[in-house]
Every structure is written in structure tokens, then in C-alpha cells.
Amino acid sequence: MTDTRNNDYRRIGAGNCGTVWAAPMGSDDTCAIKREDGAQSRSVHNDYVMHREVFNTLLANHSSISVPRCHLRQRVWWKDRISKFPPGYTRCNALVTDRIPPFQEAVRNALISKYCPHDKTSEITSSEANHDCLVRLYLGRMRRLEGGSRFKGFSLRNYPLHLDQFEELALDFKLYARILADALAHLYWKAHVDANDVEFVLAPPWKGDTVHHQEILARPAVIDSVFLGEHVVCVLDFDLCRDMAMDEGGVEQAVKAFYQNDPYFPRPGRKTSMEQVLWTEFKDHFLEASEAMLGRESSEATLPALWVNLVEQEGHAREHHRRP
């Protein structure tokens, strides 16, 4: 007899909007399900609306970044699926997306070997939860601090890879900065969303039917490296995004969101030469991509430079207050 429990959903993540579930890798069910069972102020409907807007924009404009397809599922969808959840779970609104594939064992073991505290190696290696390995790219923060790392815990779920680690692993951090700059320009000037609280992760490319997955991936840039192998940059999690007006107020809204988010993007005003060079790379590519989208003569043509100026003002002010 076939063990149908092998296809049961297990929790692979959680956030303020709700919990995220998926069937085991290798099953026929390749979706990820975000249940609306979190904070009452958060909505998978808004996540869906913004996700679709971003997906359609990136697909239409041949962006180098990946975004999975999504579908909003309400109570009727649950008929054949509620039994796959643990006992006690009930039907609710849900956002269903194609699951972003996690890194496989070789990459997980490499990350554990290089960065996991020795006393946690066995625990992390054997943990099923750490098989759900995606890597957050934190180009706006260093891992190193005087006296060691700022981080004592370790998890491969959304593992934070910081700028100095990119250098250690011989990853071309300027390339990732350009990809993020291009993505942000698309979100602002094409999708007209403020990118508030979106996530950027590194993950392996989807495998399978070419036509189907070209649609899923919006033709992203596939990056190859010795340490991570082939991978792409993915954007996800749009429930806090809001529409952005194409005016000064919209730019101010986007700048606020930029600094509220995790440090995916390079930051201005930092003291190391690597951080300064990377901000210049990011800024220059953002302005170049924005001009290609908006043109030089449009009524919105001055908005990208305004965004850069406001981000730099805020960044320098933050650095001034942070330094002794």
C-alpha cells in the first residue's frame, strides 16, 4: 500500500502574515502554501495582488530576477488538501505559489562546514528543517565585527549571507548589486510598488519543462559559482508592499521602505572601501536602468535621482549617529 502521508504538507516557514507549508521535495506537489493564519492586519489578498503585479511586470520586461507564479486560493480549494495538514488545522484564505527549490545537500554541507559553530554541526546536519535551505543576500551589512561574528545561532532556513562572506566565497558581489538595482528599478517605475518588506534570496534554478518554467522564472540570470553552483536571485513576500505614486511623495514612501527592510541592498555612507565601491556600483546601475525605463524627457525622469539623493542623505545621517 502507498504511504500517502509522504505527500503531507509540513511547515517550512512562518511570518507575520501566516505560516508557509509545502510537500516534501521530490513529490508531485511542487507548490508552497502561505496560510492567512498570522496577524489580523496582514492579508494574503494584498500579497497576491502585489505579487501578480510584480510577476507580470518582470515577465513582460525580461528582468534578470526570478519570481514564482502565484494563485489566491479560498475555501473551495481546500476540499482535497485539508487532510494533508496536521490535525486541528482548518480551511482559511491562502496564497499558493510555485515553491522556490532549496539548495541541495552539497551546498548545505559546504555552508555548515564553513560557518556553522562546531558544537552545532551534528544537530544542523541532521535537522529536517535545515533541508529548506535558501540564502538571503545581505549586501548592505557585514557579518564581521571586532571580536567575532554578531551571530551566535545558526540555521540554513533563509541563511543570511553578508557582504564580507560574498568576498570570502569569491562571489561577484558587484553582479548581485546590479541585479538588485535592476529589480528595484522595475518594482518602482514599472510595477509602481514601493518594495516594502520584500525578500531577496538565492536559490537553485527551477528544473523541468522549458516553456512552463520560463514563465515561472521570467527568464532570470543564472549565476554559476564554485561554492553555490548554479543559482538565481528570487524576490518574494509582497504582503506589505503598497502602490507607489509616480511623484515626490511616492519616492519618499519608497525611501522609507528601503530603510525599513532587511539589508539586501548596498547602503551609502559606510566606512569600508568595499561598501563604498558597491554602493556606487548599485547606484550607477539603478540610475542607468531607471533612465532606460523612464526616458530622459518624461515627467518622471527626475524621480530616480531624487530617490538616490534621499537615500544618500538618510544613509549619511544614520552613519553619523552610529559612529562614536
Side-chain angles (χ1 to χ4, degrees):
M1 179 180 293
T2 301
D3 183 7
T4 58
R5 303 301 293 178
N6 287 337
N7 289 321
D8 284 359
Y9 296 136
R10 64 185 184 86
R11 195 166 81 166
I12 62 171
N16 288 326
C17 191
T19 52
V20 183
W21 299 75
M25 293 300 297
S27 74
D28 293 334
D29 190 339
T30 58
C31 67
I33 304 133
K34 180 188 281 189
R35 292 172 50 94
E36 192 179 80
D37 54 9
Q40 292 185 355
S41 60
R42 307 287 279 266
S43 165
V44 295
H45 179 74
N46 186 69
D47 200 340
Y48 169 76
V49 170
M50 294 296 167
H51 193 137
R52 288 297 304 174
E53 185 63 41
V54 171
F55 175 86
N56 290 334
T57 295
L58 296 183
L59 186 65
N61 290 278
H62 308 294
S63 171
S64 56
I65 203 162
S66 165
V67 56
R69 296 178 307 170
C70 69
H71 310 277
L72 186 65
R73 301 302 190 189
Q74 297 179 320
R75 295 182 182 276
V76 66
W77 177 82
W78 291 92
K79 180 179 177 182
D80 299 323
R81 296 173 177 85
I82 190 61
S83 62
K84 293 187 176 185
F85 287 88
Y89 278 82
T90 59
R91 295 169 174 82
C92 65
N93 292 335
L95 178 71
V96 178
T97 69
D98 292 285
R99 184 181 180 184
I100 297 172
F103 282 108
Q104 297 302 299
E105 185 176 10
V107 174
R108 297 199 307 266
N109 288 341
L111 286 168
I112 290 169
S113 176
K114 191 162 185 67
Y115 294 118
C116 182
H118 181 70
D119 61 346
K120 294 182 179 293
T121 298
S122 177
E123 171 194 344
I124 296 298
T125 302
S126 61
S127 166
E128 183 181 24
N130 284 290
H131 291 182
D132 307 320
C133 177
L134 300 177
V135 173
R136 289 183 175 179
L137 61 167
Y138 280 179
L139 298 183
R141 187 163 70 188
M142 295 284 203
R143 183 174 187 264
R144 295 190 294 256
L145 288 179
E146 245 179 86
S149 169
R150 69 173 82 219
F151 302 104
K152 302 303 181 186
F154 188 91
S155 173
L156 291 178
R157 279 188 173 177
N158 293 324
Y159 179 75
L161 197 70
H162 298 77
L163 179 55
D164 48 309
Q165 293 172 287
F166 275 79
E167 184 179 43
E168 290 172 0
L169 302 178
L171 296 169
D172 185 356
F173 46 82
K174 288 185 178 181
L175 170 62
Y176 297 97
R178 292 193 296 271
I179 290 173
L180 291 184
D182 183 75
L184 200 60
H186 275 94
L187 291 172
Y188 289 165
W189 318 128
K190 291 294 187 178
H192 299 171
V193 300
D194 62 8
N196 189 26
D197 205 42
V198 296
E199 295 184 21
F200 293 91
V201 298
L202 306 179
W206 274 270
K207 304 294 183 184
D209 179 75
T210 302
V211 174
H212 175 65
H213 288 283
Q214 279 182 347
E215 183 190 24
I216 293 173
L217 293 170
R219 302 176 184 271
V222 177
I223 306 162
D224 199 5
S225 79
V226 173
F227 193 87
L228 294 177
E230 286 193 344
H231 59 281
V232 296
V233 181
C234 304
V235 60
L236 67 155
D237 208 4
F238 304 95
D239 69 284
L240 282 183
C241 286
R242 297 294 182 266
D243 291 323
M244 171 184 161
M246 293 294 99
D247 57 23
E248 185 174 339
V251 170
E252 291 173 352
Q253 173 186 338
V255 171
K256 182 179 179 181
F258 179 88
Y259 279 106
Q260 285 178 336
N261 205 349
D262 286 356
Y264 300 108
F265 306 105
R267 301 292 174 90
R270 297 294 172 84
K271 59 184 178 181
T272 70
S273 59
M274 180 166 61
E275 290 171 299
Q276 292 166 4
V277 166
L278 194 60
W279 168 252
T280 299
E281 184 80 18
F282 175 84
K283 175 181 69 174
D284 289 349
H285 192 77
F286 175 80
L287 291 172
E288 178 183 338
S290 298
E291 182 178 300
M293 295 174 198
L294 297 175
R296 295 184 179 182
E297 306 301 329
S298 71
S299 58
E300 297 94 6
T302 60
L303 296 181
L306 174 62
W307 182 88
V308 167
N309 290 337
L310 293 178
V311 168
E312 289 185 332
Q313 288 175 23
E314 179 66 20
H316 287 291
R318 287 174 178 237
E319 286 300 304
H320 176 75
H321 290 302
R322 191 168 69 169
R323 294 174 186 172

